[in-house]
């Protein structure tokens, strides 16, 4: 069995672990070969302690550069996973022709946007399509204390939240379901404002009150701060037709009457089977309407993020190379400070390999400590930044320590420790007698 | 006082023939046609500064990169050995005492005295440590409470260095101005300690010094001037 075939039969975890070990092995082997049979640790400890402030500075320098690299990788992945998770429930969006990106931001991430509406004919056509399992209007535009108020159907609430965290789904136009992080509790009564933010007209909908009857389970998306109401209520609050004919009994939800359907900015569509989503997307990409996969638009965005990540990675690697060069220069200087003691060891009969082992262990201790501290710093920074991003966007960004960071760390440690042999070799070529005399 | 289990090595005889040490530029720093020392002999090396005394001492240790001729320690022609074998010979046969002690200031007295244990084969570490402790005790180095040697006085530090030189029970002690960094009273004590310990174990000693008190205790004094033996 050849190596490639063997490698491909391993699980991803085994491959990641294998790569990690393979990256670290050169450093470990060099270390074992250097130190075998000797006990240089007390001397190395004495060296570390003697120049402790200089050494600490070196460790911090290494830690900063490693931290930046680890943090960038972990943060980018956290953002990518967080935004993807937030878009998970949005299989296919149908909207009036326009910018897919604007619609993605408005419908999935609830960023306010003025967009044209889709008519009731189109909605009923989609709802009547046998391959469609869910067709829900998403009518955004109103807000309450910064939280978006979205008109939709009970089916969508269940789709988004699964079982509610508490209470029940709305049944009349006066009822609402609040997101897990929305500023409302069950039983609260509120009046929505027209629009969002500073431009919102607080009293435009005076008298149109909702009572909160349910609270969604957390979804890790901006919808956690949203308030969901029957779409009929949104229309009525704006003085439009209620979506149903004159004989309507007041029960909210489909079917809607096309001629009484004032329009909706977006429709969430979910097919009964995965493949059918593709058919639906082609079917509803035409002159009067567009259909797109939020996941695909997001993938484009992530592709762009990926390019940024590559630029950042090059920057991070360049930083690390600079830091490594600085560390090596510093090691040469520190080795000179210690030249008399190294010359002493060799005068007393220490083999060249022992003097080499002392310098190398010293360098390895600085690099190892710096790399570990850097991993901690990078991970800590990621946790902190993720919390801020989650708090500001309601997109749940979780920090995790993944294999790419471990690989970066192992590669950095291995390369730098291998390079640390240069100062160690430089220390060996010095004149013992001259160094002994100081 | 001494570790009873460790037998003491007798001093090594020295025989020098046509020894010359050269500077990088090809200038001759030192030239000694012939010199012989019996095992256990104590040789003082005197002479003006820069005359080649230390060059002589380091050549005897096999540390000079450009030395020709023969330096015979017992059966061994040191200059015929590779650098690695010379290092092994020093480790097994030579103890050093330097003018400015050259201790590891951040380590304790015991760790400094047993310094060779860091690179000695594991089976010899135990005996080395025992002998290092015995020498420190014999030299009255205060060990309790344990502290770093940087906190010791000059005389104490040089005694720690002396214990380090004796800890591997070498056949030869090479001392480079061992009393030059000490005050008069401490000098005298160190001269006593050094000669007593070396002679008690029959080691061969070569001590470079300006210190009359030390030179007077040697069997023989060699004066080096301008790189040559003057008397």
């Amino acid at each position: 069995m050849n190596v490639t075939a063997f490698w491909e039969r391993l699980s991803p975890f085994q491959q990641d672990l294998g790569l990690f070990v393979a990256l670290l092995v050169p450093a470990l082997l060099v270390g074992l070969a250097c130190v075998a049979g000797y006990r240089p640790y007390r001397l190395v400890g004495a060296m570390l302690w003697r120049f402790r402030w200089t050494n600490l500075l070196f460790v911090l320098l290494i830690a900063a550069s490693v931290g930046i690299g680890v943090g960038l990788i972990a943060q980018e992945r956290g953002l990518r996973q967080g935004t993807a998770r937030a878009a998970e429930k949005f299989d296919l969006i149908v909207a009036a022709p326009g910018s897919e990106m604007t619609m993605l931001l408005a419908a999935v991430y609830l960023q306010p946007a003025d967009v044209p509406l889709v008519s009731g004919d189109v909605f009923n056509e989609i709802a009547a399509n046998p391959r469609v399992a869910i067709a829900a209007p998403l009518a955004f535009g109103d807000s309450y204390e910064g939280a978006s108020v979205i008109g939709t159907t009970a089916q969508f609430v269940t789709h988004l939240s699964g079982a509610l965290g508490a209470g029940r789904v709305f049944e009349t136009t006066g009822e609402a379901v609040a997101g897990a992080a929305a500023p409302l509790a069950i039983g609260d009564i509120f009046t929505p404002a027209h629009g969002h933010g500073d431009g919102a007209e607080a009293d435009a909908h005076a008298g149109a009150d909702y009572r909160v009857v349910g609270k969604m389970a957390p979804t890790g998306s901006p919808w956690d701060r949203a308030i969901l109401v029957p779409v009929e209520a949104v229309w009525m609050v704006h003085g439009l037709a209620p979506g149903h004919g004159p004989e309507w009994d007041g029960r909210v939800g489909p079917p809607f009457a096309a001629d009484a359907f004032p329009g909706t900015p977006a429709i969430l569509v979910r097919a009964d089977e995965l493949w059918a989503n593709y058919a639906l997307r082609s079917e509803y990409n035409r002159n009067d309407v567009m259909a797109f996969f939020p996941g695909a638009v997001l993938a484009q965005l992530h592709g762009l993020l990926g390019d940024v990540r590559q630029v950042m990675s090059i920057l991070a690697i360049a930083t690390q190379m600079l830091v490594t060069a600085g560390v090596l220069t510093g090691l040469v200087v520190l080795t000179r400070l210690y030249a008399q003691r190294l010359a002493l060891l060799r005068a007393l009969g220490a083999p060249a390999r022992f003097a080499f082992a002392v310098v190398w262990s010293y360098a390895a201790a600085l690099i190892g400590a710096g790399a570990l501290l850097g991993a901690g710093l990078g991970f800590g920074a990621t946790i902190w930044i993720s919390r801020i991003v989650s708090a500001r966007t309601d997109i749940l960004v979780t920090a995790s320590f993944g294999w790419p960071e471990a690989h970066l760390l192992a590669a950095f440690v291995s390369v730098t420790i291998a390079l640390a042999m240069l100062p160690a070799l430089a220390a060996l070529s010095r004149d013992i007698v001259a160094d002994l005399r100081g | 006082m001494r570790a009873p289990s460790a037998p003491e090595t007798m001093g090594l005889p020295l025989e020098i023939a046509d020894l010359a040490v050269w500077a990088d530029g090809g200038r001759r720093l030192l030239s000694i046609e012939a010199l012989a020392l019996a095992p256990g002999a104590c040789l003082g090396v005197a002479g003006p500064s820069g005359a080649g005394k230390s060059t002589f001492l380091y050549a005897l240790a096999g540390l000079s990169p450009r030395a020709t001729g023969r330096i015979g320690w017992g059966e061994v022609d040191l200059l015929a050995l590779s650098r690695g074998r010379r290092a092994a010979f020093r480790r097994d046969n030579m103890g050093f005492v330097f003018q400015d002690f050259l201790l590891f200031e951040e380590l304790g007295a015991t760790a400094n005295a047993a310094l060779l244990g860091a690179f000695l084969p594991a089976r010899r570490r135990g005996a080395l440590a025992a002998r290092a402790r015995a020498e420190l005790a014999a030299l009255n180095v205060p060990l309790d409470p344990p502290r770093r040697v940087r906190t010791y006085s000059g005389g104490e530090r040089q005694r720690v260095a002396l214990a380090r030189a004796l800890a591997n029970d070498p056949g030869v002690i090479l001392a480079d101005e061992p009393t030059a960094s000490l005050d008069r009273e401490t000098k005298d004590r160190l001269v006593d300690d050094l000669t007593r310990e070396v002679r008690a174990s029959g080691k061969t000693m070569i001590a470079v010094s300006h210190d009359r008190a030390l030179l007077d205790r040697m069997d023989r004094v060699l004066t080096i001037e301008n790189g040559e033996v003057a008397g």
Side-chain angles (χ1 to χ4, degrees):
Chain A
M1 183 164 62
N2 67 38
V3 177
T4 320
F6 172 73
W7 182 250
E8 277 163 6
R9 279 181 44 181
L10 295 176
S11 70
F13 174 79
Q14 286 169 326
Q15 287 186 355
D16 281 328
L17 187 66
L19 184 57
F20 179 72
V21 170
L23 284 169
L24 264 188
V25 154
L28 294 178
L29 280 186
V30 170
L32 287 177
C34 280
V35 178
Y38 299 142
R39 294 201 302 180
Y41 311 110
R42 293 188 80 162
L43 293 182
V44 173
M47 267 174 100
L48 287 169
W49 184 251
R50 170 139 197 173
F51 300 110
R52 49 192 172 279
W53 300 116
T54 318
N55 292 334
L56 183 67
L57 194 68
F58 272 38
V59 168
L60 290 179
L61 192 66
I62 297 170
S65 98
V66 170
I68 289 171
V70 166
L72 277 179
I73 298 179
Q75 194 66 65
E76 190 269 345
R77 184 187 50 235
L79 281 173
R80 199 152 32 86
Q81 290 176 344
T83 48
R85 197 184 311 108
E88 231 166 34
K89 300 272 181 165
F90 297 82
D91 301 56
L92 183 67
I93 297 283
V94 176
S99 159
E100 291 181 353
M101 191 64 74
T102 305
M103 186 47 68
L104 171 77
L105 290 174
V108 177
Y109 300 108
L110 299 180
Q111 301 299 306
D114 275 330
V115 291
L117 306 179
V118 179
S119 72
D121 288 327
V122 172
F123 180 86
N124 280 347
E125 181 188 342
I126 294 171
N129 190 314
R131 288 199 287 252
V132 169
I134 300 175
L138 300 176
F140 36 80
D142 287 348
S143 71
Y144 172 72
E145 290 187 4
S148 296
V149 175
I150 319 282
T152 185
T153 61
Q155 194 183 18
F156 177 78
V157 177
T158 317
H159 169 64
L160 192 63
S161 163
L164 289 189
R168 57 171 176 85
V169 180
F170 47 72
E171 284 167 2
T172 71
T173 52
E175 294 179 339
V177 173
L184 288 168
I186 292 181
D188 285 356
I189 292 174
F190 70 97
T191 308
H194 186 69
H196 271 271
D198 292 339
E201 300 159 46
D203 46 6
H205 301 320
D209 293 341
Y210 295 98
R211 193 167 61 86
V212 179
V213 295
K215 196 98 173 153
M216 288 199 292
T219 63
S221 75
W223 287 79
D224 282 349
R225 273 182 63 78
I227 301 157
L228 281 69
V229 298
V231 65
E232 292 90 341
V234 173
W235 288 325
M236 287 158 70
V237 158
H238 289 86
L240 302 168
H244 300 276
E247 68 285 7
W248 182 43
D249 60 1
R251 269 201 313 197
V252 297
F256 297 105
D259 53 358
F261 190 99
T264 175
I267 304 165
L268 167 91
V269 178
R270 171 163 234 212
D272 49 0
E273 293 190 57
L274 194 62
W275 62 268
N277 279 316
Y278 291 88
L280 290 174
R281 185 179 63 161
S282 352
E283 203 172 323
Y284 297 111
N285 254 325
R286 54 192 201 204
N287 282 342
D288 61 332
V289 68
M290 72 168 180
F292 66 95
F293 296 139
V297 178
L298 198 57
Q300 287 176 8
L301 252 180
H302 287 162
L304 193 65
L305 255 180
D307 292 344
V308 173
R309 173 180 47 170
Q310 279 188 334
V311 173
M312 301 282 243
S313 301
I314 291 168
L315 281 178
I317 288 172
T319 317
Q320 279 180 5
M321 282 167 65
L322 283 175
V323 167
T324 307
V327 166
L328 294 181
T329 314
L331 281 176
V332 171
V333 173
L334 281 180
T335 311
R336 283 195 178 187
L337 285 178
Y338 233 65
Q340 198 181 26
R341 292 298 180 285
L342 290 173
L344 167 75
L345 288 171
R346 301 191 64 199
L348 297 187
R353 181 165 73 87
F354 178 76
F356 183 86
V358 168
V359 178
W360 186 87
S361 309
Y362 168 65
L366 291 185
I367 293 163
L372 279 181
L373 184 63
L377 284 180
F379 189 49
T382 308
I383 292 176
W384 184 59
I385 294 173
S386 297
R387 274 195 196 145
I388 295 177
V389 171
S390 298
R392 294 224 174 137
T393 64
D394 293 304
I395 298 171
L396 181 67
V397 178
T398 45
S400 60
F401 195 82
W403 282 110
E405 295 91 296
H407 294 155
L408 176 81
L409 210 61
F412 173 80
V413 166
S414 242
V415 169
T416 318
I417 285 186
L419 287 174
M421 291 199 290
L422 299 177
L425 286 173
L428 287 192
S429 60
R430 299 176 64 88
D431 181 354
I432 298 174
V433 175
D435 279 349
L436 264 182
R437 289 173 172 173
Chain B
M1 298 278 277
R2 292 188 183 288
S5 61
E8 274 156 14
T9 316
M10 282 299 289
L12 286 175
L14 171 66
E15 195 180 342
I16 293 175
D18 299 320
L19 173 65
V21 180
W22 311 83
D24 278 347
R27 190 168 61 90
R28 194 168 63 186
L29 298 171
L30 177 74
S31 161
I32 292 178
E33 268 177 41
L35 178 75
L37 283 184
C42 290
L43 175 72
V45 181
S49 298
K53 303 190 299 292
S54 295
T55 304
F56 176 56
L57 196 74
Y58 290 123
L60 291 181
L63 285 167
S64 301
R66 292 166 184 270
T68 56
R70 178 185 153 84
I71 299 172
W73 286 109
E75 302 295 305
V76 176
D77 179 2
L78 196 58
L79 296 185
L81 300 180
S82 67
R83 275 164 60 125
R85 286 184 173 274
R86 285 187 212 177
F89 183 84
R90 285 196 296 275
R91 183 192 70 187
D92 294 337
N93 298 286
M94 291 179 169
F96 293 83
V97 184
F98 302 94
Q99 175 178 343
D100 35 12
F101 324 136
L102 296 190
L103 298 169
F104 281 84
E105 308 284 333
E106 312 297 330
L107 297 179
T110 319
N112 266 290
L115 185 66
L116 261 60
F119 51 87
L120 221 49
R123 65 195 142 76
R124 287 165 60 186
R125 283 176 197 150
L128 176 90
R131 188 172 278 276
R133 281 193 298 272
E135 294 293 350
L136 287 169
L139 292 165
N140 284 318
V141 175
L143 296 177
D144 200 37
R147 52 196 167 103
R148 298 197 188 105
V149 291
R150 67 183 314 157
T151 63
Y152 282 72
S153 71
E156 287 168 339
R157 281 199 257 185
Q158 194 60 305
R159 287 184 346 250
V160 172
L162 184 53
R164 178 180 72 193
L166 297 165
N168 202 27
D169 195 22
V172 181
I173 295 290
L174 299 176
D176 187 8
E177 301 278 9
T179 59
S181 298
L182 307 175
D183 58 48
R184 185 69 260 166
E185 199 178 323
T186 327
K187 273 184 215 260
D188 292 339
R189 176 166 179 193
L190 192 88
V191 170
D192 286 343
D193 285 335
L194 179 63
T195 50
R196 185 189 70 240
E197 294 294 310
V198 166
R199 287 186 185 280
S201 52
K203 299 184 196 309
T204 305
M205 172 158 77
I206 293 150
V208 167
S209 186
H210 286 104
D211 187 350
R212 214 55 250 177
L214 177 59
L215 293 173
D216 285 346
R217 304 280 281 272
M218 300 289 108
D219 300 324
R220 192 178 151 191
V221 175
L222 199 69
T223 306
I224 293 183
E225 281 175 17
N226 291 324
E228 295 188 346
V229 177

